[in-house]
Amino acid sequence: QAARAEGEAEAQARSRKAAALSDPLASLYAEASAMRDAGTIAPDRLRALKASAASHPDEWLLRLEIEELEAMT
């Protein structure tokens, strides 16, 4: 039960972060989240997401999300 609550808290934190970002950056986070939630990761789309994220070098969390998605493939 603690793990479930922790997962819900993480999802809420991601949602709050996305809401506070500019639209282009928020859409990158939203896409990463959608891939994670769906459990389906298209390698070509993941490469495109990673390329887009490269233009936001200060977004370490986005890079981490992408690395986690890469590990799922």
Side-chain angles (χ1 to χ4, degrees):
Q1 189 139 7
R4 181 178 175 185
E6 196 172 295
E8 289 173 7
E10 185 177 336
Q12 288 175 348
R14 283 189 176 122
S15 188
R16 283 192 298 272
K17 175 148 179 85
L21 299 171
S22 65
D23 287 343
L25 189 52
S27 69
L28 296 177
Y29 275 97
E31 183 156 4
S33 179
M35 283 187 208
R36 177 188 315 283
D37 293 346
T40 304
I41 301 163
D44 58 329
R45 188 57 210 137
L46 183 56
R47 280 191 297 276
L49 179 62
K50 188 174 184 176
S52 296
S55 64
H56 302 281
D58 293 335
E59 289 298 319
W60 62 268
L61 182 57
L62 181 59
R63 284 195 318 275
L64 181 61
E65 297 252 3
I66 292 168
E67 288 172 10
E68 289 176 356
L69 290 169
E70 289 175 324
M72 294 171 64
T73 60

